[in-house]
Structure formats: structure tokens, C-alpha cells
Amino acid sequence: MFDYEKFENSIFQQMIDVFNSWIEENDDLYIFSLDCAREMDSIGVVANTTHYLEEQAEVDSEDYWYYKYCEEEWDLFDTFETVSADMQKYLDDNENRFTNPETYEYTELFDKHCDQMIEHCKNALIRFKQAINKNHSDILLTFNIREYLDGDERVEIFQAVNSENASREYSEHIEEFE
């Protein structure tokens, strides 16, 4: 059985550690994302700085919102190696239960595992927001699972951890970067 609580606590602590390191090195960090692979075999964080965003697109350009909110275009990335190794081991141990050997499609059991992983990622992100809110309430937070979460899910998560104004902007431009 996968220890979801340990997973949540580990990624929460890793987010704190990496964030503190990045914030020391970058005085213009504006966004920070928990980034999980669809296969549920790795996790880490991605972030961007205002100066890097400005190098990619000007505020009035048509690509601006894409570069501002698309995690794949950001400057900073870190993989949580130990947590990812635990995730991969659990998948390896359950390979025949998580993937149909004839169709190579995920099973219902994998989907339940995936749902639990997502729920604990959301919890960790909410805890993280509470932890940094006093000194860094202006930092935007996102949760990304590439090519898996739809726009509505992304907006819902964004709204749970960001201000109303930021959420409005994010949802208005979701189609430009999802």
C-alpha cells in the first residue's frame, strides 16, 4: 500500500526547501508550480521569474499569457528525486495491476491511485500556500500534470490557492496556455 500521507508530507517539505533556495537566488520569482508526471512516477517543482518572462514575451504581445502561465516555458525546475523513486517503485511493484497487459491501458486501480495522488498534491499545495503566505503572499501557485488536467480543473486548483484577482486573470487566459 502506498503511503499517501508520507507522500504529501514529503512533497510539502521539498516544496518548502526548494522554494526557500530559489527565493534567495531570485528576487523576482512570481509563480511556483507543483509538477507531477501523468504516469505518477515523478514529481517536482517548476517556477518562473519576472525577468525570464520579460525575456520571452512583452506584456502586450499575443504570446504573453502563454509564457506567463505555461509551466513548460519556465526557467527553474527541480525533481524530487527520493519521492520520485518511491513513486516509481510503487508503480513497478504494481505494474500488472495498474496496466492491462493486453491493451497497455491504465486500469481502474491505477485511476484510483492517480486520484489519491492528485488529492494529496492539492493538500500539499494548500499547506504550502499557508506556510509561505505571510512573507510571500504575492507568489502565484499552480499544479500541473502535463496533458492531463483540463482547463476547469486547473482553474479550480488555482482558485483554491491564489487571490480572486489572480484567479480571474488565470481563468480568462486559460485557453492560451493549457
Side-chain angles (χ1 to χ4, degrees):
M1 183 74 184
F2 193 80
D3 189 338
Y4 296 104
E5 293 298 322
K6 177 183 174 193
F7 169 75
E8 180 181 321
N9 291 332
S10 295
I11 60 174
F12 168 74
Q13 188 58 55
Q14 287 283 283
M15 284 192 293
I16 293 288
D17 294 346
V18 172
F19 178 80
N20 287 337
S21 172
W22 284 351
I23 210 78
E24 279 183 32
E25 299 167 6
N26 302 278
D27 61 357
D28 64 340
L29 192 77
Y30 74 89
I31 197 161
F32 187 88
S33 181
L34 182 59
D35 189 67
C36 187
R38 166 60 179 120
E39 297 79 16
M40 298 295 140
D41 62 353
S42 69
I43 194 161
V45 287
V46 188
N48 206 10
T49 59
T50 304
H51 76 272
Y52 189 78
L53 172 61
E54 289 169 352
E55 290 174 8
Q56 307 311 306
E58 294 187 21
V59 175
D60 57 354
S61 76
E62 77 176 46
D63 294 346
Y64 179 77
W65 302 109
Y66 172 76
Y67 286 102
K68 182 173 184 178
Y69 290 118
C70 183
E71 290 89 347
E72 294 170 35
E73 300 297 337
W74 296 350
D75 188 30
L76 306 169
F77 182 82
D78 188 88
T79 301
F80 302 162
E81 298 293 342
T82 302
V83 178
S84 295
D86 291 344
M87 293 167 72
Q88 181 63 56
K89 181 177 180 343
Y90 188 70
L91 290 177
D92 291 345
D93 292 348
N94 290 280
E95 182 178 3
N96 294 332
R97 298 174 64 216
F98 284 166
T99 306
N100 181 317
E102 294 173 14
T103 64
Y104 299 102
E105 292 181 7
Y106 291 127
T107 64
E108 189 175 318
L109 189 61
F110 175 81
D111 290 339
K112 288 179 182 179
H113 171 65
C114 181
D115 290 344
Q116 283 291 311
M117 298 292 279
I118 291 170
E119 194 60 35
H120 286 276
C121 285
K122 289 182 202 176
N123 292 344
L125 195 60
I126 290 167
R127 289 172 54 197
F128 177 73
K129 178 63 175 180
Q130 293 167 345
I132 69 163
N133 204 39
K134 182 179 178 190
N135 296 321
H136 302 288
S137 62
D138 58 325
I139 303 287
L140 301 173
L141 301 177
T142 67
F143 177 53
N144 185 44
I145 302 177
R146 186 171 181 234
E147 297 177 1
Y148 181 71
L149 297 175
D150 67 24
D152 290 340
E153 292 168 313
R154 292 174 66 90
V155 167
E156 180 184 318
I157 295 165
F158 192 91
Q159 289 173 336
V161 291
N162 294 287
S163 73
E164 188 176 323
N165 286 342
S167 296
R168 191 176 315 109
E169 178 183 276
Y170 188 86
S171 63
E172 286 173 2
H173 298 282
I174 188 77
E175 292 179 8
E176 297 174 51
F177 60 88
E178 73 168 324

